[in-house]
């Protein structure tokens, strides 16, 4: 059974649109960070207590679900 790639794109767009303060994400570069503020094209994230950066939304690989 083959699933079209378009469905995966839909799920990723929904995940990116739903990002909110406090969510943990993994970037395409493998960085694990916490969302501070979701803006239109960029997301402000905290890498550690001292480092806050802005990344483009398209570089978010996935959201880490708390267990």
């Amino acid at each position: 059974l083959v699933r079209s790639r378009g469905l995966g794109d839909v799920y990723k767009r929904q995940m990116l649109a739903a990002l909110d303060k406090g969510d943990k994400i993994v970037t395409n570069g493998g960085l694990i960070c916490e969302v501070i503020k979701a803006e239109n094209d960029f997301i402000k994230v905290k890498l550690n207590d001292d480092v806050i950066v802005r990344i483009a939304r398209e570089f978010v690989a996935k959201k880490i679900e708390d267990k």
Side-chain angles (χ1 to χ4, degrees), residues 16 25 27-28 41-43 54-60:
L16 289 175
I25 60 169
T27 67
N28 289 342
D41 295 331
F42 295 92
I43 300 171
R54 288 175 59 200
I55 62 169
R57 281 188 181 263
E58 59 262 18
F59 288 101
V60 175

Side-chain angles (χ1 to χ4, degrees), residues 3-17:
R3 176 175 275 183
S4 76
R5 181 168 179 203
L7 190 56
D9 291 343
V10 170
Y11 290 136
K12 183 155 185 178
R13 277 191 302 244
Q14 289 174 346
M15 180 268 302
L16 289 175

Side-chain angles (χ1 to χ4, degrees), residues 23-37:
D23 290 341
K24 294 199 185 288
I25 60 169
V26 178
T27 67
N28 289 342
L31 296 174
I32 299 172
C33 40
E34 181 179 340
V35 175
I36 299 298
K37 182 179 179 186

